[in-house]
């Protein structure tokens, strides 16, 4: 099979129209390849994935912004293989042939996403181990109980801002603000928290014209933080990276802080918004939650299957010529981790209406050596934040017709614009005047799992494998049974009482 990418930006086929050009308004581009951007793709991404799956199978040729070609990996098992095999599919974007040939401009809208930086997420081998070790060691020093008190305090502070009004936009007034408040406290830059930082963080992943400027704003704030922590150490994540035995440079520290801040912010904002949307629009989902048949952590896990915070990630480049999903991948080709399509792969999930509570085999946080190291921080912010909001305002109702809800974004993430809600006005809650606890400590990383506990494994003789077994690929015999990802047990039903105690109620 020859490569379908007969069109390359700037090739003999002619100049590429800019993204704002009406030529980019249609869903297909040069060579008849489907675009992952533009009105059609953004209006119905799930429909686009199914068209691509029907046309190409588990790996599909697509066009990104500027009609830059890439491969979108749609299959669950194919995504697992790609993310777990760095010898074939590297995270080092400098391998990208389009960059080497200069056909992708430095100011491309997605430059903040793919531009190589001295961080663990772009490294492999010993360099990856050194940098990733500094991040995971520093995360292990976080006092999980202290951070949960931060989350609960900030959640109630945000609810106080609108509880007497009887109405609120749960995206702009809650989901977008809570993660940044918590992450700034963890990193050690609460004084930098402001609306501009929230806007910049959101802008960086949208592929907008101002994404590069927003990236520069965030980097500037983090560079100042690193300089302060070199001079005056604190009890925070930035200090721990600065002082780590791995000996990170100032640039390496600030870039890792950027990755942690932006990725945690974007994923958690979208996760909170998506969970709340399900609560307000799906009567069965809400009834199970309010009736005690489903806990908030279980609701979060279900949402990670149905509406993952990142729909896909541009983040793998072929080390050499290879094959994936029946497609011939050339050295230097770009590949996209298809998180949302992998979560709906009919091979592993033939019935999309079936409950996935307690099952963490989804691709929401990727997989392999580059799986998100801070995923339990995001889960904790969503678990405690949503629970605090629903405890304060149990009568929340959507104040507009569901058909009026709108999303924006690109193939990387899909962001709910607004979630207008109404409720009975209630008085402000007194916020504990005690100083917030420090985020440092010496507690087990497993403490993150109070709200989203790990399963109790069976004896060794019957234990299930830690990783989900690879799903049957598209070559499976017709009529063969679907291979579902390994199920994980859900949290205990005593969670409501435990989390209230944990949060200091």
């Amino acid at each position: 099979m020859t490569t379908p990418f007969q069109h390359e930006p700037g090739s003999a086929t002619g100049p590429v129209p800019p993204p704002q050009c009406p030529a980019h308004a249609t869903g297909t581009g040069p060579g008849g390849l489907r675009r992952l951007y533009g009105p059609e793709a953004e209006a119905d991404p799930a429909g686009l994935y199914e068209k691509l799956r029907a046309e190409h199978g588990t790996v599909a040729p697509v066009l990104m912004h500027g009609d830059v070609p890439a491969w979108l990996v749609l299959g669950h098992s194919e995504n697992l293989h790609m993310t777990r095999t760095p010898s074939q599919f590297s995270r080092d974007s400098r391998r990208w042939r389009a960059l080497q040939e200069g056909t992708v401009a430095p100011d491309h809208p997605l430059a903040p996403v793919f531009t190589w930086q001295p961080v663990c997420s772009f490294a492999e081998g010993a360099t990856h181990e050194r940098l990733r070790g500094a991040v995971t060691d520093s995360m292990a020093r976080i006092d999980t109980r202290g951070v949960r008190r931060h989350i609960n305090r900030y959640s109630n502070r945000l609810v106080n801002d609108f509880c007497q009004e009887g109405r609120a936009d749960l995206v702009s007034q809650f989901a977008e603000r809570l993660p940044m408040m918590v992450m700034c406290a963890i990193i050690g830059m609460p004084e930098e928290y402001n609306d501009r930082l929230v806007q910049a963080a959101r802008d960086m992943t949208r592929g907008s014209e101002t994404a590069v400027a927003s990236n520069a704003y965030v980097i500037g704030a983090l560079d100042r933080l690193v300089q302060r922590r070199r001079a005056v150490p604190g009890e925070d994540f930035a200090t721990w990276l600065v002082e780590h035995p791995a000996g990170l440079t100032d640039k390496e520290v600030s870039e890792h802080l950027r990755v942690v801040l932006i990725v945690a912010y974007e994923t958690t904002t979208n996760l909170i918004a998506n969970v709340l949307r399900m609560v307000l629009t799906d009567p069965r989902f809400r009834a199970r939650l309010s009736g005690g048949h489903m806990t908030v952590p279980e609701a979060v896990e279900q949402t990670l299957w149905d509406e993952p915070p990142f729909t896909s990630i541009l983040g793998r480049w072929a080390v050499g010529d290879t094959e994936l999903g029946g497609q011939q991948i050339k050295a230097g080709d770009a590949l996209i981790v298809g998180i949302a399509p992998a979560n709906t792969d009919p091979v592993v999930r033939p019935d999309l209406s079936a409950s996935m509570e307690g099952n963490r085999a989804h691709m929401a946080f990727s997989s392999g050596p580059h799986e998100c190291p801070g995923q339990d921080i995001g889960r904790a912010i969503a678990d405690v934040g949503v629970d605090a909001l629903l405890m304060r305002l149990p009568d929340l109702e959507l104040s507009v017709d569901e058909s009026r809800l709108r999303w924006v974004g690109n193939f990387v993430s899909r962001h709910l614009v607004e979630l207008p809600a109404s409720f009975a006005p209630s008085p402000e809650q007194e916020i504990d005047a005690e100083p917030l606890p420090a985020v440092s400590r010496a507690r087990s990383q497993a403490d993150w799992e109070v709200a989203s506990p790990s399963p109790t494994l069976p004896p060794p003789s019957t234990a299930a494998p830690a990783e989900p077994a690879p799903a049957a690929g598209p070559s499976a015999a017709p009529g063969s049974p679907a291979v579902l990802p390994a199920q994980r047990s859900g949290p205990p039903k005593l969670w409501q009482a435990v989390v209230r105690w944990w949060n200091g109620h």
Side-chain angles (χ1 to χ4, degrees):
M1 181 184 293
T2 59
T3 176
F5 299 136
Q6 303 303 320
H7 162 73
E8 294 284 350
S11 68
T13 58
V16 179
Q20 300 83 4
C21 175
H24 280 181
T26 60
T28 57
L33 299 183
R34 293 191 182 275
R35 292 183 169 121
L36 283 185
Y37 68 98
E40 291 188 30
E42 293 172 9
D44 184 19
L48 174 60
Y49 300 147
E50 293 315 304
K51 290 177 183 177
L52 289 168
R53 206 188 303 270
E55 295 167 355
H56 302 283
T58 57
V59 179
V62 294
L63 298 173
M64 300 185 296
H65 292 69
D67 285 345
V68 176
W71 296 98
L72 175 63
V73 183
L74 301 158
H76 190 274
S77 63
E78 287 77 10
N79 271 288
L80 288 179
H81 174 75
M82 177 177 63
T83 55
R84 296 176 180 179
T85 316
S87 60
Q88 289 182 293
F89 305 101
S90 173
R91 277 289 289 136
D92 190 337
S93 62
R94 294 172 296 185
R95 294 180 179 272
W96 195 3
R97 191 172 60 253
L99 281 177
Q100 296 171 356
E101 297 173 352
T103 54
V104 175
D107 61 349
H108 189 277
L110 293 175
V113 175
F114 66 70
T115 300
W116 184 90
Q117 296 126 30
V119 295
C120 60
S121 56
F122 283 95
E124 303 291 1
T127 302
H128 174 260
E129 292 179 7
R130 166 181 165 264
L131 298 175
R132 173 97 173 192
V135 172
T136 54
D137 289 349
S138 298
M139 285 185 173
R141 297 180 63 176
I142 296 173
D143 177 4
T144 57
R145 183 173 183 179
V147 170
R148 285 181 175 275
R149 289 183 60 189
H150 275 278
I151 300 168
N152 192 59
R153 179 85 65 84
Y154 290 149
S155 298
N156 281 294
R157 183 184 300 174
L158 290 172
V159 174
N160 276 354
D161 290 341
F162 55 75
C163 64
Q164 299 182 77
E165 301 296 324
R167 63 183 184 278
D169 170 25
L170 299 181
V171 172
S172 64
Q173 293 179 266
F174 191 80
E176 287 189 341
R177 296 186 177 276
L178 178 61
M180 186 61 77
M181 296 171 78
V182 176
M183 292 310 302
C184 282
I186 290 175
I187 288 176
M189 53 184 291
E191 68 277 9
E192 297 282 359
Y193 171 76
N194 56 35
D195 288 342
R196 177 71 181 93
L197 191 62
V198 171
Q199 294 164 4
R202 172 65 65 194
D203 192 42
M204 286 170 57
T205 58
R206 287 181 177 173
S208 68
E209 296 178 15
T210 57
V212 174
S214 294
N215 182 55
Y217 176 86
V218 173
I219 284 292
L222 294 173
D223 285 344
R224 292 190 297 272
L225 173 63
V226 174
Q227 292 171 8
R228 291 197 301 270
R229 289 300 176 257
R230 288 287 186 193
V232 183
E235 289 295 327
D236 50 51
F237 189 78
T239 298
W240 302 330
L241 284 181
V242 166
E243 297 178 342
H244 194 274
L248 274 62
T249 66
D250 284 2
K251 181 65 173 175
E252 288 174 333
V253 173
S254 64
E255 289 291 354
H256 280 90
L257 291 175
R258 168 187 173 274
V259 171
V260 170
L261 178 67
I262 300 305
V263 173
Y265 169 74
E266 175 72 10
T267 56
T268 311
T269 292
N270 288 343
L271 179 56
I272 293 173
N274 291 337
V275 172
L276 291 175
R277 182 186 67 82
M278 291 293 292
V279 170
L280 298 185
T281 62
D282 188 332
R284 290 179 298 177
F285 187 91
R286 183 166 191 164
R288 286 177 53 77
L289 186 61
S290 60
H293 299 289
M294 176 173 62
T295 66
V296 173
E298 287 174 329
V300 167
E301 221 61 44
Q302 180 72 44
T303 305
L304 287 169
W305 276 99
D306 296 334
E307 292 281 352
F310 279 150
T311 52
S312 57
I313 301 173
L314 170 62
R316 296 297 186 281
W317 289 270
V319 175
D321 293 353
T322 188
E323 181 177 327
L324 183 66
Q327 301 283 13
Q328 298 301 313
I329 311 298
K330 299 297 183 182
D333 278 359
L335 296 98
I336 301 169
V337 181
I339 294 173
N343 282 359
T344 58
D345 185 345
V347 174
V348 299
R349 200 177 172 196
D351 181 5
L352 295 181
S353 64
S355 171
M356 304 300 285
E357 297 165 17
N359 187 329
R360 289 193 177 185
H362 51 71
M363 289 290 301
F365 298 108
S366 190
S367 186
H370 292 281
E371 183 174 2
C372 176
Q375 57 186 274
D376 283 321
I377 297 177
R379 281 188 173 99
I381 296 174
D383 290 350
V384 178
V386 170
D387 185 63
L389 176 67
L390 296 180
M391 286 179 65
R392 291 282 303 277
L393 305 173
D395 60 340
L396 276 171
E397 297 288 346
L398 188 66
S399 60
V400 299
D401 189 89
E402 184 180 352
S403 62
R404 294 180 57 186
L405 297 179
R406 298 179 297 112
W407 285 261
V408 296
N410 55 29
F411 72 88
V412 175
S413 66
R414 191 166 180 252
H415 171 58
L416 185 63
V417 178
E418 294 177 329
L419 189 62
S422 58
F423 47 87
S426 61
E428 293 185 9
Q429 183 180 91
E430 183 177 353
I431 304 297
D432 189 354
E434 294 180 7
L436 281 171
V439 298
S440 65
R441 92 72 183 148
R443 292 177 69 91
S444 167
Q445 184 69 15
D447 288 347
W448 284 118
E449 300 294 329
V450 166
S452 301
S454 299
T456 301
L457 295 178
S461 60
T462 59
E467 298 286 357
S475 59
S480 59
V483 181
L484 289 174
Q487 292 285 329
R488 303 187 186 183
S489 60
K493 298 305 179 182
L494 290 175
W495 176 87
Q496 292 284 356
V498 173
V499 80
R500 287 183 176 87
W501 166 79
W502 191 260
N503 290 334
H505 294 298

